[in-house]
Amino acid sequence: MTKHAVRVARMFDGERLVDGGVLVLLDDGRIVDVHRGRAEAPEGWPVRGEPNGTLLPGLIDAHVHLCADAGPDALGRLAERPESDLDAVVEASLRLHLAAGVTTVRDLGDRRGAVLRWRGRGVRSDLPTVLGAGAPLTSVGGHCWSLGGEASGIDGVREAVRLRAAGGADLVKVMASGGVFTPGTDTTRPQFTDEELTAALTEAHDLGLPVTAHAHALSAVEQALRVGVDGIEHCTCVTAAGASVPGELADRLAASGVAVCATLGTDPAVVTPPEVVEMAARAGLSEAALRDGAATLRRAGVRLVAGSDAGLGPAKPHGILPETLVEYVACGIPATAALASATSVGAEVCGLGRRKGRVRPGFEADLLIVDGDPTSDITALRRSLAVYRAGDLVT
């Protein structure tokens, strides 16, 4: 279908709620026009009506792992998974995201460029848009080393960045601290020197690529801010005493304009295994600490983006982003700000702000319709009525 229209009770346009009826015209994969009130569609344009529906831009999940199947130790098992299996896992992951209203994802860690190679075999308009970092750049034996991204020394990290650029990466992901799921790494300490991280950042920027840093350790967050990375993932600020975001650090993060992805969001129906709870506790990463940290960041005015870390395990399945936004609201973030973090702000952070993330004429017709008003009840995101990708109804 080329020319068609959608009529809904209200719209979240990427920044604010528009109530009192909205008619959106779609043609050739783009939004042609947006009318408020009781405007009529042009003659011959089929209209889909959702009398209690809210139209939103398609959601953007800025932190996923498409190669990981959300089973136990999903990232760890990737090292032994046959290359021939990975395309099927990537496509299955993307279908789950699409069913949840996610029309764009940013993959922040595949195995040796598998997602980039999958994408290079052809654009799929029936699946979400994919941005990718390739294998995350990590220290020797560092967090997620088995994905093939080990590097050391200034020359080594520069070469690692060049390889990612040559492979078609849209950004560079650096493991600035250890992580919970890689035995032997330390969530309380940086993995690179300032000089190494600066070299990675300079090389990436010279090649036109932004850099986002996985940082659990407080010292790694401080380092990432000092060096000037474009984004920080997790930002949990772990020390030997636990995880807590200092207020003065949150103020400096806000002043810098760096984008922070707090990676909240778990499946409420999944009971986390005791061994995983214990592992997270040893790393100082309790659920309460994560929510408190996100709340502190929001109060300070930090630029928050929505990302779920989907694929890591049973509690982090693909398509879990609505729960990320539910948790954002639960920790005190206003619903409109939470929605913006997954639409307009997410698009800007991902470099797509001129074509995605807003319901606006000329923008791509990636759209989500939910039952109810998510600005007053964020759980409406769990009730998807329709998902459009490039103007086509896909779910």
Side-chain angles (χ1 to χ4, degrees), residues 183-336:
T185 67
D186 191 344
T187 57
T188 69
R189 298 178 60 187
Q191 292 197 144
F192 291 101
T193 65
D194 278 17
E195 293 74 18
E196 288 171 324
L197 193 55
T198 298
L201 184 70
T202 301
E203 190 71 26
H205 283 184
D206 285 349
L207 293 166
L209 301 179
V211 174
T212 194
H214 157 109
H216 281 305
L218 173 60
S219 53
V221 173
E222 291 274 13
Q223 180 190 54
L225 180 59
R226 184 167 60 246
V227 167
V229 300
D230 304 286
I232 298 175
E233 309 301 311
H234 313 301
C235 199
T236 40
C237 299
V238 176
T239 66
S244 179
V245 179
E248 58 83 21
L249 173 59
D251 290 340
R252 285 189 284 128
L253 289 166
S256 76
V258 67
V260 173
C261 183
T263 61
L264 300 185
T266 55
D267 186 342
V270 172
V271 177
T272 305
E275 61 271 19
V276 175
V277 174
E278 182 181 353
M279 189 186 307
R282 285 199 303 269
L285 298 175
S286 70
E287 184 175 331
L290 297 180
R291 287 192 176 190
D292 286 348
T296 299
L297 294 169
R298 167 61 190 176
R299 285 194 299 270
V302 172
R303 191 183 186 199
L304 284 176
V305 66
S308 65
D309 226 350
L312 283 189
K316 289 276 193 182
H318 292 286
I320 197 66
L321 189 68
E323 298 303 326
T324 298
L325 302 183
V326 169
E327 288 197 24
Y328 268 12
V329 172
C331 64
I333 297 173
T336 52

